[in-house]
Amino acid sequence: MNSGMSGHSPFVNRKYSGGELAFISLFFLFVSFPCGNAAAQATADDRSQKLANPPANLTRVPLQNNVDFGAGVNGHGFAYTLNIQPVMPLELTEDWNLITRTIIPIGYRDYLPGADVSGLGDVNASFFFSPKGPGPGGLIRGAGPVALLPTATDDFLGAGIFGLGSTAVGLVQQGPWMVGALANHIWSIAGPNDRPDVSVNLLPPFASHNFGGGRSVSLSVDANHDGNNEQRIVPVNFGGSQIFTLGFQAMSSQIGGRYYAGVPSDSPEWGRTTLAFLFPK
């Protein structure tokens, strides 16, 4: 159930394309960008760590671009999804924050029967109640409800049902390293009888390393399990990020890719770039 969960995912046979190799090459160029003075580097490093931390007290709006090549039965189709992912911390008390994380997918598919399809997908909204300070062993954590909203404008872009579940995140930060995991489970609550029920687990462990100057690399595994169809998808994501400023606006850009380590026989391949607007307090 990655990126807000869509009803139909583009699948292809695994192979390396010229586009994927270009993404990998740009990734190594990307992490070698220079940064500014010591004060700017310290600020960039702090934002970089917070950006990798799901329950961090940092308002940000990532714009995640997902590109699929070789989709469809003949392996020549193309798919694109833009995930708008606003994350907003709200102070509840002196000791607790509420972190809201919403995923709004906008997709395009050119390989579906009949005609091309584009429009809004199902919206995924998570709410993390998170203590402001770390717990035992420096554990940063948060937990709360998650909802799947049937907002898709086409049957191929979403599950078409209303779902509810629970979500939790835990992580530890040691120096430049951050390691943790986020988990959720969503059950279908209501929807049309002709749409299949939803019972999906997501368990993505993640790790990131900050090189300084706002540069970092990350690795995550979006382990999905569809309990109704007994289908598992285990994509491995990797990417490099750079914090920078455009005028007075702090921003982060990322480039990376994904390798499917455990998937059905018709696995996808794709590249991802992310542009995030940061609103530090």
Side-chain angles (χ1 to χ4, degrees):
M1 192 194 63
N2 183 51
S3 301
M5 198 185 77
S6 61
H8 296 261
S9 298
F11 291 101
V12 300
N13 293 325
R14 176 67 192 167
K15 60 182 180 179
Y16 287 98
S17 67
E20 185 175 24
L21 293 176
F23 272 115
I24 295 173
S25 299
L26 286 172
F27 161 72
F28 285 107
L29 291 174
F30 188 78
V31 297
S32 65
F33 281 175
C35 205
N37 58 37
Q41 288 183 3
T43 301
D45 291 345
D46 178 65
R47 291 171 180 171
S48 181
Q49 292 282 25
K50 287 184 176 180
L51 193 62
N53 178 358
N57 188 25
L58 173 67
T59 300
R60 63 265 199 192
V61 184
L63 306 177
Q64 182 192 96
N65 294 275
N66 302 280
V67 182
D68 291 86
F69 302 98
V73 176
N74 60 10
H76 299 296
F78 171 79
Y80 169 78
T81 303
L82 168 65
N83 288 319
I84 305 171
Q85 302 178 335
V87 179
M88 180 178 296
L90 304 172
E91 184 176 20
L92 297 179
T93 69
E94 293 183 357
D95 300 319
W96 288 84
N97 285 331
L98 172 63
I99 312 297
T100 66
R101 179 175 181 263
T102 306
I103 302 176
I104 306 168
I106 300 173
Y108 169 79
R109 311 285 185 267
D110 75 351
Y111 56 88
L112 300 175
D116 298 352
V117 171
S118 63
L120 180 66
D122 289 342
V123 171
N124 183 295
S126 300
F127 303 86
F128 298 93
F129 294 92
S130 177
K132 291 185 178 180
L139 179 65
I140 300 171
R141 69 276 192 205
V146 58
L148 179 68
L149 308 179
T151 55
T153 56
D154 190 277
D155 288 349
F156 288 97
L157 297 176
I161 58 90
F162 178 69
L164 285 175
S166 58
T167 184
V169 61
L171 59 99
V172 175
Q173 181 179 333
Q174 294 290 340
W177 285 98
M178 181 180 295
V179 179
L182 184 150
N184 67 42
H185 186 89
I186 291 182
W187 296 269
S188 53
I189 302 298
N193 293 330
D194 60 344
R195 301 305 299 269
D197 291 336
V198 168
S199 178
V200 179
N201 292 296
L202 172 66
L203 178 62
F206 58 85
S208 67
H209 183 274
N210 192 336
F211 291 101
R215 294 183 295 268
S216 65
V217 294
S218 62
L219 179 71
S220 66
V221 182
D222 292 341
N224 294 264
H225 177 244
D226 184 342
N228 288 333
N229 298 318
E230 289 302 321
Q231 186 178 73
R232 291 178 176 83
I233 303 177
V234 188
V236 180
N237 308 294
F238 60 92
S241 298
Q242 174 69 61
I243 301 291
F244 63 98
T245 58
L246 188 60
F248 294 101
Q249 177 63 58
M251 304 176 73
S252 169
S253 61
Q254 181 188 75
I255 191 166
R258 169 177 283 187
Y259 169 75
Y260 281 77
V263 291
S265 58
D266 47 356
S267 62
E269 64 170 311
W270 60 286
R272 170 194 290 183
T273 61
T274 301
L275 177 66
F277 294 85
L278 311 181
F279 302 92
K281 293 186 176 181

